Amino acid sequence: MRVLFLQRHAQAESGAAYADDHQRELTDGGRRDAVAMGRHLARIGQVPAHVVCSSAVRTRETSEHLMQGADRSDITIESTDRLYQATPETVMEEIRAMNGGHGNGLLVGHQPAWGAVIQRLTGAQVDMRTGAIACIQLSVRSWSQVQSRSGRLVWFLPPMAVKGNGLQ
């Protein structure tokens, strides 16, 4: 059994402020949301052991602030160009290529691929807003065995739910 967390990057600055979309940074609110989500994951005992994010600045910042909130600076964050503007199939390939030694992992990236991958893995449709995390339980022994419909959506949590319910 594997557990996969998929997180869309937290709220980023407007694209109009940047000549290159890849360089967009998080807003102050996006940073706070990512920290709050990390605290919540730590509180419920579901901090991922392995983190892979898109090479975009906003996804790297989301990953860093999430781990800061979880108080887990010991977890290495890998960054890859393959998750920036990725197709759902590319995301599935990245999932299958994850290190076999980790029972759970987090991918941080972008819409529309994230919503499509969640639907492909679980059949569930979710509104993947900025900062939201989906927890998917995969009925596989290794990451390389992940296929369509091999997972079940265990929970889905947008930052507003964490902040709105005093869970941060």
Side-chain angles (χ1 to χ4, degrees), residues 4 16 24 26-27 31-32 35 37 51 59 65 73 79 83 92 94 103 106 110 116 122 129 131 133 137 148 150 168:
L4 174 67
R24 288 173 49 208
L26 294 182
T27 63
R31 289 181 189 95
R32 285 190 301 272
V35 168
M37 295 298 276
V51 180
T59 57
H65 287 288
S73 59
S79 176
L83 291 178
M92 293 290 288
E94 285 296 309
L106 165 69
H110 313 269
T122 69
R129 296 182 181 209
I133 300 177
Q137 189 175 58
S148 294
S150 61
Q168 58 179 339

Side-chain angles (χ1 to χ4, degrees), residues 1-5 95 98-105 135-146 150-152 154:
M1 173 107 45
R2 301 288 171 164
V3 175
L4 174 67
F5 301 96
I95 293 167
M98 287 177 65
N99 185 332
H102 301 289
N104 64 30
C135 175
I136 301 168
Q137 189 175 58
L138 297 161
S139 300
V140 297
R141 289 182 184 261
S142 74
W143 293 110
S144 63
Q145 297 172 323
V146 172
S150 61
R152 176 178 71 85
V154 178

Side-chain angles (χ1 to χ4, degrees), residues 52-74:
V52 181
C53 68
S54 153
S55 59
V57 170
R58 60 191 177 271
T59 57
R60 292 192 321 254
E61 283 187 322
T62 298
S63 302
E64 291 164 4
H65 287 288
L66 184 84
M67 290 297 108
Q68 176 189 348
D71 197 24
R72 293 300 305 266
S73 59
D74 59 314

